[in-house]
Amino acid sequence: MKRLGWVLCMALLASGCDTNAVYKEYTDIEEGKWYIKNAPSFTFDITDASVPYNIYYNLRNSLSYGYYNLYLTRYLRDASGKELESRLDELILMDPKTGKPNGDGLGDLFDHKFLMKRNYRFPKPGKYTMQIRQYMRQDPLLNILSVGITVEKAAPSAAK
């Protein structure tokens, strides 16, 4: 129960910082055991396809996580279910040499925000779904507490 309180506190702190966010959502990983078959999906609306967007992974892990990195496969689909993209990404959660955690920490919990796509232009307005699957050799993967995405309007470039 104590851990849940910390998770909620960190979620509130993190949610207040994304002023350009058009979508932000997390899925909790039950008991911190992320099974390969558990592939959370996030469906969001893009109303303006004329502007670029930055898309981020949001991840929360405990210090007990056994690796310095995390491999994820992401799938972006349009409203009809057509796959627009799939890709394997590596997220670095801790310094590989020192073991020092990256991200923002509170107690033994750490939040991470990793850029997934920069200045992405969606083909047209509508609903899109991003599905995320862990791609590590361990099943279940332990001590990953939640995963999510943030979709933000990209800040305009200062140099024109």
Side-chain angles (χ1 to χ4, degrees):
M1 193 53 120
K2 213 179 233 186
R3 181 178 286 217
L4 181 61
W6 283 111
V7 170
L8 291 174
C9 180
M10 288 186 68
L12 288 173
L13 287 172
S15 66
C17 304
D18 297 323
T19 56
N20 290 334
V22 295
Y23 178 83
K24 182 175 184 174
E25 191 66 43
Y26 282 88
T27 294
D28 290 333
I29 305 299
E30 193 172 326
E31 297 179 18
K33 296 177 182 176
W34 192 1
Y35 290 90
I36 291 172
K37 68 181 180 187
N38 177 11
S41 291
F42 305 92
T43 301
F44 52 94
D45 254 326
I46 295 299
T47 56
D48 186 357
S50 69
V51 299
Y53 293 85
N54 293 331
I55 307 172
Y56 297 88
Y57 289 110
N58 301 322
L59 187 78
R60 186 170 295 130
N61 67 286
S62 78
L63 276 179
S64 303
Y65 179 69
Y67 306 96
Y68 74 91
N69 64 350
L70 172 62
Y71 285 100
L72 300 175
T73 306
R74 60 177 152 102
Y75 307 90
L76 179 62
R77 296 182 180 96
D78 65 13
S80 70
K82 177 184 173 195
E83 191 172 288
L84 302 176
E85 176 185 85
S86 67
R87 180 180 164 138
L88 176 67
D89 289 324
E90 179 185 22
L91 310 183
I92 305 297
L93 305 180
M94 298 173 205
D95 184 285
K97 292 181 181 172
T98 66
K100 181 179 184 270
N102 297 327
D104 296 321
L106 188 59
D108 74 334
L109 301 178
F110 281 82
D111 278 353
H112 306 270
K113 184 176 178 180
F114 295 98
L115 185 63
M116 178 194 308
K117 296 191 72 57
R118 180 188 312 274
N119 292 324
Y120 181 73
R121 291 192 184 267
F122 289 92
K124 60 185 180 183
K127 288 197 181 299
Y128 291 87
T129 300
M130 182 70 71
Q131 185 178 38
I132 300 172
R133 184 180 308 274
Q134 68 101 335
Y135 201 75
M136 299 291 280
R137 292 183 181 135
Q138 185 177 340
D139 191 28
L141 186 59
L142 303 177
N143 301 305
I144 298 293
L145 305 175
S146 63
V147 65
I149 67 166
T150 299
V151 180
E152 298 178 354
K153 286 187 179 180
S157 171
K160 296 258 179 183

